[in-house]
Amino acid sequence: MVLTELTTSGFFKLRHYRMIDQLDVYVNGRHAAHMKREIRLMFEPDASHVPADARFTITELAEQFGITTRTIRYYEDEGMISPERQGQNRIYCKRDYARLRWILRGKRTGFSLSEIREMLDLYDLGDGRERQREVTLSHCRAKLQALKEQRADIDFLIEELEHFCVMLNHKVNSRQPVG
């Protein structure tokens, strides 16, 4: 369930309740389509509740995922989702919904579009998604290792800068007044 309330700062506070956990997210009500990354919803709707015969317009998908219709059209142009056409209208099915969810999670966790495309394309192998899971796990482990290495580098730099600041602070504070 999602509840909203307007805050004094002009942001909508979205409360997402799912079983036991709760997630509070602040969203700029006037510019919802162009929200800063820091205030975007940190979850995407789960596809398990979507009926197999569900149909969505591009606007409905954009609203559900908190993205622009232009973003959805971009992923369509990249061949990552493929809606049906009814005249000029795009009609998205549960498969498109699930793929869009996968794309957004992949982008949020730092994967490139080519990596995401590779993982998505493995879904259709007909092996019960076994190969897709193996490749995704491999990509996730590599990404995790790279992030851990970056964190170690950052921790080292922080330590160096803290040491440097202590040394400089000591020199600044040890000056004798002239006179």
Side-chain angles (χ1 to χ4, degrees):
M1 175 188 347
V2 176
L3 302 175
T4 61
E5 59 188 78
L6 186 60
T7 67
T8 56
S9 63
F11 285 81
F12 287 104
K13 182 178 185 181
L14 298 180
R15 285 203 166 175
H16 181 264
Y17 295 92
R18 188 185 282 173
M19 299 266 223
I20 299 170
D21 55 64
Q22 171 185 336
L23 176 65
D24 288 347
V25 180
Y26 291 88
V27 180
N28 184 326
R30 290 182 293 155
H31 304 288
H34 303 287
M35 296 177 280
K36 288 185 177 181
R37 186 176 189 143
E38 293 79 21
I39 60 173
R40 282 196 180 170
L41 298 176
M42 294 307 292
F43 62 92
E44 308 88 23
D46 186 354
S48 64
H49 71 283
V50 178
D53 61 348
R55 299 287 181 251
F56 306 92
T57 65
I58 192 168
T59 304
E60 290 169 336
L61 276 185
E63 288 173 0
Q64 284 201 24
F65 287 100
I67 58 177
T68 64
T69 56
R70 184 176 182 168
T71 299
I72 295 172
R73 286 191 297 273
Y74 174 76
Y75 294 135
E76 182 184 345
D77 291 343
E78 290 293 312
M80 299 175 87
I81 53 177
S82 53
E84 297 173 20
R85 295 285 188 155
Q86 290 181 352
Q88 294 293 326
N89 298 324
R90 294 167 168 86
I91 305 297
Y92 298 87
C93 63
K94 181 176 181 170
R95 182 177 192 269
D96 297 315
Y97 185 99
R99 289 174 74 89
L100 184 57
R101 180 176 181 269
W102 189 275
I103 292 165
L104 295 174
R105 174 173 283 156
K107 290 301 294 174
R108 189 180 72 232
T109 53
F111 290 110
S112 69
L113 279 183
S114 62
E115 290 170 321
I116 295 167
R117 183 179 293 108
E118 176 189 3
M119 292 182 272
L120 283 172
D121 290 346
L122 293 171
Y123 181 85
D124 298 322
L125 288 181
D127 66 349
R129 299 177 57 193
E130 188 175 320
R131 181 73 180 135
Q132 182 188 38
R133 289 184 183 114
E134 290 171 1
V135 169
T136 301
L137 182 59
S138 174
H139 282 304
C140 287
R141 285 181 174 152
K143 179 67 69 182
L144 191 57
Q145 182 60 36
L147 288 170
K148 286 179 178 180
E149 290 171 7
Q150 287 177 340
R151 182 174 56 192
D153 291 343
I154 290 169
D155 288 343
F156 176 77
L157 289 174
I158 288 171
E159 189 176 313
E160 283 291 314
L161 283 170
E162 286 174 342
H163 178 72
F164 193 44
C165 286
V166 167
M167 182 186 73
L168 289 172
N169 190 42
H170 177 71
K171 292 197 180 278
V172 167
N173 290 333
S174 67
R175 279 195 231 161
Q176 299 297 321
V178 178

